[in-house]
Amino acid sequence: MPYHVSNNSKLPKSNVQKNKEQAKKQKAKKEVKKMMTLKEAIAKFEDMPNKPKSNMKSTGTLSKRQSDLLKTHKEHHSKIHIDLMKYLMTKKNYCFEIAHQLAQKVAGI
């Protein structure tokens, strides 16, 4: 008699099926990472210990050089990172480099 499987017995799952099921479970478990708002980033910056002193005099607007640097910088960083840098350069009078370092610490990339 040829080999056959009755309808009542379960067939073993293939590796492909197992991998698909595991991937579905992992997707379901992943938490959606909440994006930080600018207000939260500013609050985190204000609470940060050992902040460097501001090293620039600001008119409250970005200089031509700063805005040009931010345009190229925008390609590699998140919106919150760029917005925090703008805040630090205009309101807190930090130079581009220090604002970038602080934004990386506070908001990440």
Side-chain angles (χ1 to χ4, degrees):
M1 180 169 207
Y3 174 79
H4 74 284
V5 178
S6 68
N7 292 336
N8 294 339
S9 67
K10 291 186 177 182
L11 294 173
K13 293 181 181 179
S14 69
N15 287 337
V16 174
Q17 288 174 328
K18 288 178 185 177
N19 291 341
K20 285 181 181 178
E21 288 179 3
Q22 287 175 348
K24 283 182 184 178
K25 287 179 185 178
Q26 287 176 351
K27 283 182 183 178
K29 287 182 182 179
K30 284 185 182 177
E31 293 180 17
V32 177
K33 188 176 179 182
K34 183 184 167 221
M35 292 295 294
M36 182 184 291
T37 63
L38 184 59
K39 282 186 178 182
E40 292 170 344
I42 291 171
K44 191 173 176 181
F45 166 74
E46 296 296 338
D47 293 340
M48 198 166 74
N50 303 326
K51 291 180 282 210
K53 292 183 179 180
S54 61
N55 59 348
M56 303 276 291
K57 289 184 181 178
S58 178
T59 60
T61 59
L62 294 174
S63 69
K64 173 88 169 114
R65 181 173 184 270
Q66 287 174 328
S67 61
D68 289 343
L69 282 169
L70 278 175
K71 284 179 187 174
T72 59
H73 197 66
K74 181 188 305 194
E75 298 170 8
H76 308 287
H77 294 281
S78 65
K79 181 174 175 12
I80 190 69
H81 178 94
I82 299 298
D83 290 343
L84 184 59
M85 282 187 67
K86 285 180 187 176
Y87 170 80
L88 293 173
M89 288 189 285
T90 55
K91 304 282 192 246
K92 297 296 182 179
N93 305 329
Y94 285 107
C95 69
F96 185 89
E97 291 80 15
I98 293 176
H100 175 64
Q101 291 170 357
L102 290 171
Q104 280 184 320
K105 287 180 184 175
V106 172
I109 294 177

